[in-house]
Amino acid sequence: MFAAGLSYRESGPADGPVALMLHGYPESSFMWSDVMPAVADAGWRALAPDFAGYGDSEPDPPSTWERHIESLERFRRELRIDSCVLVVHDWGGLIGMRWACEHPGVLRALVISSTGFFPNGKWHGMAKALREPGSGEQLIAGIDRDGFAAVMRESSSGMSDEAITEYWKGYADESRRRGQLELYRSGDFSKLEGYDLAALGVPTLLLWGEDDAFAPVAGALRFERELPETELVVVGGARHFVWEDAPAECAAALTAFLARVGGSAARSS
């Protein structure tokens, strides 16, 4: 299915309250495959788009942070999502939380996983390389499928061959690879100054892999301090790709949270 130029997955009742699920880098909506059935069984309409240049969505250059936010808003408007619980991972968090701050009133709850949203944030080593002219081009051009698979498996305790095949789509051509550089090079944390996530005042579930090397649990603890009405779930033995490392545990935590916030959830129009 496609909406606003984005491929997306959907599961659950068409008139159910919406869980809008945003994937991280270098993933796609496939990352939610093992979780969406549980969300649907709980009576929710799970919607998971592929950001432009990932999964089955075509590139839409320039693939900047701002461009992805604009694309997400077009997606929301085309599907007439008036209220949702936002579920985010990695870059999906940076895109989704900035979008939510720019469109207050849409969000009724938030699930944050393996990301940050801090003006004084720091990029990890691979991100720094991607942001650096020259070294970024060399890095992104030199990644082949075997090397990609090795990096993904090292960052996960449960990454399947099927998942790696799906995520390799983000490297399928030069335009998609260039888009990754554009995304990271637009990712100045100073842009988050003036955004007040706490002002949204929504219940928040923090769901983290205990052994996340890219977004350590310290980030979850900071969210816990700075946001109202938070709940923290740390998944033992899981790494950065926590939703694939422990899908059953993640689905249980997510659906329990949705049950707590969803009793009076507005139906999508």
Side-chain angles (χ1 to χ4, degrees):
M1 292 181 286
F2 285 84
L6 299 180
S7 173
Y8 71 98
R9 299 170 189 266
E10 179 172 1
S11 186
D15 65 343
V18 172
L20 180 58
M21 309 174 81
L22 304 182
H23 68 83
Y25 172 88
E27 299 161 289
S28 69
S29 63
F30 181 83
M31 70 164 285
W32 306 111
S33 297
D34 290 335
V35 178
M36 291 179 75
V39 174
D41 287 345
W44 288 72
R45 181 188 182 195
L47 293 170
D50 291 334
F51 288 121
Y54 299 87
D56 294 325
S57 291
E58 291 298 318
D60 181 27
S63 298
T64 59
W65 192 357
E66 291 77 12
R67 185 79 159 187
H68 285 297
I69 294 168
E70 294 166 2
S71 178
L72 178 60
E73 174 60 9
R74 290 195 300 271
F75 180 82
R76 178 190 77 87
R77 288 182 177 275
E78 184 163 322
L79 291 183
R80 299 181 179 180
I81 303 168
D82 296 325
S83 175
C84 70
V85 172
L86 186 64
V87 186
V88 300
H89 176 76
D90 188 81
W91 255 108
L94 290 166
I95 295 166
M97 289 187 283
R98 195 171 163 190
W99 165 78
C101 289
E102 292 177 0
H103 299 88
V106 177
L107 216 63
R108 60 170 292 103
L110 178 61
V111 181
I112 305 174
S113 170
S114 306
T115 190
F117 200 71
F118 312 116
N120 63 347
K122 305 293 182 184
W123 283 115
H124 53 76
M126 181 178 176
K128 289 179 181 178
L130 290 170
R131 284 170 56 81
E132 183 67 27
S135 67
E137 280 79 3
Q138 184 176 7
L139 174 62
I140 208 73
I143 295 178
D144 60 16
R145 195 183 186 286
D146 289 343
F148 175 77
V151 170
M152 296 299 284
R153 289 198 173 99
E154 183 179 348
S155 306
S156 168
S157 60
M159 187 69 62
S160 68
D161 291 341
E162 185 180 8
I164 289 170
T165 296
E166 288 293 324
Y167 303 153
W168 180 243
K169 292 177 180 179
Y171 291 78
D173 54 45
E174 179 62 28
S175 178
R176 288 171 180 257
R177 292 183 183 229
R178 184 172 61 250
Q180 297 176 27
L181 298 178
E182 291 170 340
L183 177 61
Y184 273 98
R185 290 172 183 176
S186 68
D188 300 317
F189 289 115
S190 60
K191 293 178 179 179
L192 295 176
E193 293 176 3
Y195 285 89
D196 187 358
L197 194 63
L200 296 177
V202 297
T204 302
L205 171 65
L206 306 166
L207 200 157
W208 241 260
E210 180 183 33
D211 300 321
D212 191 331
F214 293 100
V217 175
L221 298 175
R222 181 171 176 181
F223 277 125
E224 189 177 33
R225 292 192 302 270
E226 296 184 2
L227 298 180
E229 202 176 339
T230 60
E231 174 189 349
L232 173 60
V233 175
V234 177
V235 182
R239 302 176 192 171
H240 182 65
F241 299 108
V242 59
W243 296 91
E244 279 150 324
D245 290 356
E249 189 168 349
C250 289
L254 174 58
T255 54
F257 178 73
L258 293 177
R260 289 193 292 275
V261 303
S264 59
R267 297 266 165 175
S268 59
S269 61

